[in-house]
Amino acid sequence: MAGRADKVVLKVEISYEDYLVLEREARRKGYALVSDYVRDVIVSHAREGDTGAGPSVVPAIESMAKRLERTIVDLINPFTGKIDELAQRIADLSEKLEKAETAEERTEPIAEERGRRRGFTAVDRLRSEGVVFEEDLRWLKAPEKFFQRLEREGAIVINLGGERVAIDKSFWEKFVSEVEDIKARDPDHALVLVEEKLGGKAARLFEKLVRASIAFYDEDLGHWSVPLPGG
């Protein structure tokens, strides 16, 4: 076509701030002149038919997305580590509890067996002490079985307000005899007399029996009475 020029000069006005952005991008991409960079961007954009933000914007968005991803991961990682650590501690604690329960289950029969080997059973202990209170046996895993065994072997077992008390029969007979010989009507005075005659454990038993209304002062007989519950 006659008269066609080989080159066309385009004049575009932009702000100084936009120019600085273009200049920075031009240098980053190796262009000596900003105008050369702008020309290539315009031509490349037109030839590719790209209706997007432009060739320099896409890498910036991708870089920002990666930085955001790294930031989120950095924020989450410490909490993830703490959760893993807490889960491990819970697992360790559960394992220790299971071992402790197993050891406790094994200890009771072993202690009982050792007692048998030494010839000193639960009944022997009861005969020696006269009376055994459940509140003194909190270390037992199955106290109900302990008292059932004592009862099968001839001990007297009384339930005093939810607490079991095992009493040797010989001790009980002596206890009842001494208590029924007491003429003092006042419970506190009677308690002192029981302790003087039979000792601290007998006094403790007497006090619990009075509270449970099993031991009482019989006005007709003029002394204390201790009928055996269920007897």
Side-chain angles (χ1 to χ4, degrees):
M1 182 174 177
R4 186 187 68 177
D6 292 335
K7 294 183 179 180
V8 177
V9 176
L10 296 177
K11 183 177 180 181
V12 179
E13 291 185 3
I14 61 175
S15 66
Y16 183 69
E17 288 78 8
D18 290 340
Y19 174 80
L20 293 177
V21 172
L22 291 174
E23 183 182 34
R24 184 169 59 253
E25 285 297 309
R27 289 179 180 176
R28 189 174 66 84
K29 293 183 179 297
Y31 288 87
L33 299 175
V34 176
S35 57
D36 291 341
Y37 170 67
V38 172
R39 181 193 62 221
D40 288 351
V41 169
I42 293 173
V43 174
S44 175
H45 179 75
R47 287 179 179 176
E48 292 177 2
D50 187 2
T51 58
S56 63
V57 175
V58 175
I61 294 176
E62 291 177 350
S63 176
M64 184 182 299
K66 289 180 180 179
R67 287 198 303 271
L68 181 60
E69 181 182 359
R70 286 195 300 269
T71 301
I72 293 173
V73 170
D74 291 341
L75 290 173
I76 293 176
N77 279 340
F79 293 100
T80 303
K82 290 184 181 296
I83 291 173
D84 292 341
E85 182 181 353
L86 181 60
Q88 184 60 47
R89 288 185 179 180
I90 293 174
D92 293 342
L93 181 58
S94 298
E95 184 178 354
K96 289 179 180 179
L97 287 174
E98 289 177 2
K99 289 181 179 179
E101 289 177 357
T102 302
E104 188 175 1
E105 290 173 357
R106 292 175 180 174
T107 300
E108 189 173 339
I110 290 173
E112 186 176 338
E113 180 61 28
R114 287 176 179 173
R116 289 197 184 99
R117 290 176 183 175
R118 295 171 183 170
F120 190 81
T121 64
V123 173
D124 292 329
R125 171 184 175 178
L126 182 61
R127 286 200 193 99
S128 173
E129 299 182 10
V131 57
V132 174
F133 301 94
E134 185 174 1
E135 65 183 6
D136 295 336
L137 303 174
R138 299 187 186 278
W139 51 270
L140 279 180
K141 184 175 181 63
E144 64 280 357
K145 294 181 180 179
F146 176 80
F147 284 96
Q148 288 170 2
R149 184 166 63 250
L150 287 176
E151 193 170 20
R152 285 196 303 268
E153 296 183 17
I156 296 171
V157 177
I158 304 175
N159 194 315
L160 301 176
E163 178 194 4
R164 283 161 290 206
V165 178
I167 311 164
D168 176 65
K169 280 189 175 181
S170 298
F171 181 88
W172 175 258
E173 292 172 0
K174 185 177 180 181
F175 175 83
V176 171
S177 176
E178 293 291 347
V179 168
E180 290 185 346
D181 193 45
I182 295 175
K183 309 298 182 182
R185 182 182 286 104
D186 180 65
D188 293 334
H189 187 189
L191 180 64
V192 172
L193 295 175
V194 171
E195 186 170 8
E196 288 178 355
K197 293 180 178 183
L198 300 172
K201 282 205 169 184
R204 185 177 169 192
L205 174 62
F206 177 76
E207 185 177 21
K208 289 179 180 292
L209 290 171
V210 171
R211 288 181 180 176
S213 299
I214 295 175
F216 60 93
Y217 186 82
D218 192 319
E219 296 289 348
D220 295 331
L221 298 176
H223 61 72
W224 284 84
S225 180
V226 193
L228 186 63

